[in-house]
Amino acid sequence: MADTSINKQQVIFQYHDVSASEAIESFTKDKLENVFSRFEFVTRADVFFKTENTSSDETGKISGIRLSAPGPRLFAESSKDDFQAAVSESVKELLKQLEKRKQTMKTH
């Protein structure tokens, strides 16, 4: 398990039946940098990588990302044919959730 800090935000990687990869961690940090810079209230990201046997060639590499922010934790998971695509999809889903969270924070 690797622990890396981006400014004051923390990114923690966990691998389940997958070898650790500096390339995928670097790619993920780049994607999360956008999240951290747009939503300063996000303090931590837990990133999970695992593989799953599927009948489809387009799935099986799973990326899950859990964000710590005010309120309930945010989570997105995606299964694609490679980890980069899964991370991209998970981050895209989290950005949608964060926009909604930001709107509810403004109304209070």
Side-chain angles (χ1 to χ4, degrees):
M1 183 162 60
D3 178 356
T4 308
S5 293
I6 301 175
N7 300 331
K8 63 184 181 295
Q9 295 91 354
Q10 214 177 20
V11 180
I12 297 171
F13 293 95
Q14 295 181 20
Y15 296 85
H16 302 284
D17 301 325
V18 178
S19 297
S21 163
E22 281 190 34
I24 192 64
E25 286 185 16
S26 177
F27 177 84
T28 304
K29 284 183 220 168
D30 288 345
K31 289 287 189 184
L32 288 172
E33 184 63 44
N34 181 31
V35 172
F36 288 136
S37 63
R38 285 178 58 191
F39 302 95
E40 294 173 3
F41 57 85
V42 176
T43 58
R44 174 175 159 163
D46 294 292
V47 183
F48 308 92
F49 295 107
K50 61 186 176 183
T51 56
E52 180 178 81
N53 290 330
T54 62
S55 57
S56 169
D57 291 341
E58 297 175 13
T59 60
K61 304 279 195 273
I62 299 170
S63 162
I65 303 173
R66 182 177 59 222
L67 297 179
S68 295
R73 287 203 175 140
L74 302 163
F75 181 78
E77 184 175 81
S78 181
S79 180
K80 298 287 182 182
D81 62 340
D82 66 65
F83 286 118
Q84 283 89 345
V87 166
S88 294
E89 187 66 28
S90 294
V91 168
K92 193 182 336 180
E93 177 58 35
L94 286 167
L95 287 171
K96 289 179 194 172
Q97 292 179 36
L98 284 163
E99 284 295 339
K100 287 180 184 175
R101 173 76 52 93
K102 191 175 182 180
Q103 292 305 316
T104 57
M105 288 172 70
K106 283 182 182 175
T107 59
H108 295 322

